[in-house]
Amino acid sequence: MTRIIASLSEVSASYTALFCDLWGCLHDGKRPFDEAVEALRAFRAKGGTVVLLTNAPRPKPSIVRQLEALGVPADCYDEVTSSGDAAQYALITGAVGRRVHHLGPPKDDSFFTELSPDLQKVAATEAPIVKVPLAEAEGIVCTGLFDDLTETPEDYRATLLHAKTQGLKLLCANPDIVVDYGHKRIYCAGAIAAAYDEMGGRSLYFGKPHPPIYDLARRRLEAIRPGVPADEILCVGDGITTDIRGAVAEGLDSLFITGGLASDIFGENGERLEQPLLDDWLAKAELSPPFAISRLR
């Protein structure tokens, strides 16, 4: 049975490192959550290491700049690993060819131009990636919708049908289906990839719950804190099908944040987080994380 806790400090002594999600856990896309910031600071103050693990399609340097702009203090984390980082590795090593068509907004252009130092070394040994029109592409890279405030996956049906007829693979830089931007729920790249799969296309995924992002996070954790065993890593997230399912697949413990994507069930501030409701909902999801909390605090 999943144990409901009131604060991270109740269980943090058993863990050396956190793999902590961003959207819905540390911020809502517009502002940081003060209690979450303090919880991560307290974990680090006791000697813990915090790796922010996000399905954002942009690379680490871009994520760090975004966190600064949102007001998330740098002293609440040690490292960042994004779905964008893991997908970049696949892209530069040729997973969908070297001439690619980009589906996504201009804000995601850094996916093609900005690499973390560890990925720069890989890129230096590979031929360059070139962005081209769909008719000239060997594959598709999807980082999101062009306008996620107004569009839905249905707006991309014609593009995806054309790509399918050409046999193009789609590299999904963010497996999330939706995310909450303030109080508005918007579609992510994962929704486009899912639509492509449903019509018979082939999508490749690199963020949570898929192994590549965890492999990269572990390598980066090892670089700053060698030798952390799996049973001393706690994954924190609000996505039952991404954060929690990914943790289970990796054999890692997890703390489920119910006040994020599942707030329609449990309440934004946890006012409906009760054991019978939680157990029933998790049973339907066929998942049982060790811990749950309404908000990271």
Side-chain angles (χ1 to χ4, degrees):
M1 184 174 68
T2 299
R3 172 185 166 191
I4 296 175
I5 62 174
S7 68
L8 176 64
S9 63
E10 287 186 34
V11 299
S12 60
S14 299
Y15 300 98
T16 301
L18 299 182
F19 285 173
C20 185
D21 185 40
L22 289 181
W23 285 69
C25 295
L26 185 53
H27 67 72
D28 65 358
K30 293 186 175 182
R31 62 180 180 84
F33 301 141
D34 293 339
E35 287 184 315
V37 168
E38 292 308 314
L40 297 184
R41 278 175 165 163
F43 183 77
R44 295 186 71 236
K46 293 180 180 179
T49 300
V50 176
V51 178
L52 300 180
L53 193 64
T54 173
N55 269 356
R58 295 174 301 283
K60 171 185 169 180
S62 177
I63 300 300
V64 171
R65 289 196 299 272
Q66 181 191 40
L67 293 174
E68 291 174 349
L70 288 172
V72 176
D75 65 354
C76 74
Y77 65 92
D78 298 275
E79 179 60 280
V80 176
T81 300
S82 71
S83 178
D85 291 330
Q88 277 183 326
Y89 179 84
L91 176 66
I92 60 183
T93 54
V96 293
R98 312 216 75 80
R99 298 170 61 82
V100 301
H101 180 64
H102 179 212
L103 292 181
K107 69 180 181 180
D108 292 342
D109 284 347
S110 61
F111 180 83
F112 297 92
T113 61
E114 192 170 26
L115 301 173
S116 297
D118 51 349
L119 299 184
Q120 289 175 10
K121 295 177 182 178
V122 178
T125 66
E126 301 284 347
I129 299 296
V130 181
K131 288 197 292 184
V132 298
L134 182 61
E136 303 172 17
E138 299 172 323
I140 295 175
V141 173
C142 182
T143 61
L145 288 70
F146 291 118
D147 184 354
D148 54 19
L149 293 178
T150 63
E151 292 181 332
T152 73
E154 185 62 27
D155 294 308
Y156 293 80
R157 183 171 179 79
T159 297
L160 296 179
L161 283 172
H162 177 77
K164 177 196 166 186
T165 62
Q166 299 302 309
L168 303 184
K169 290 185 286 188
L170 183 148
L171 187 155
C172 177
N174 176 1
D176 285 352
I177 302 296
V178 295
V179 71
D180 289 332
Y181 180 64
H183 293 290
K184 182 177 178 61
R185 186 154 291 185
I186 60 177
Y187 286 103
C188 301
I192 300 292
Y196 194 49
D197 288 337
E198 289 173 4
M199 64 176 59
R202 183 184 177 193
S203 299
L204 307 178
Y205 301 88
F206 299 90
K208 298 173 287 186
H210 305 279
I213 191 171
Y214 293 97
D215 293 342
L216 183 56
R218 280 178 160 132
R219 291 200 299 271
R220 289 181 173 173
L221 174 61
E222 180 70 16
I224 60 175
R225 183 150 191 175
V228 178
D231 62 1
E232 293 183 15
I233 299 173
L234 178 67
C235 297
V236 181
D238 69 323
I240 194 70
T241 60
T242 52
D243 302 301
I244 306 306
R245 189 174 299 281
V248 170
E250 294 292 316
L252 304 174
D253 285 351
S254 57
L255 170 59
F256 178 42
I257 307 297
T258 64
L261 290 172
S263 60
D264 56 331
I265 303 296
F266 300 103
E268 186 173 356
N269 296 309
E271 60 268 21
R272 295 193 300 275
L273 178 52
E274 300 174 350
Q275 198 73 56
L277 177 62
L278 177 66
D279 292 343
D280 181 64
W281 190 80
L282 290 174
K284 292 176 182 177
E286 299 183 338
L287 290 168
S288 184
F291 312 110
I293 192 172
S294 58
R295 286 289 185 184
L296 179 60
R297 61 174 72 89

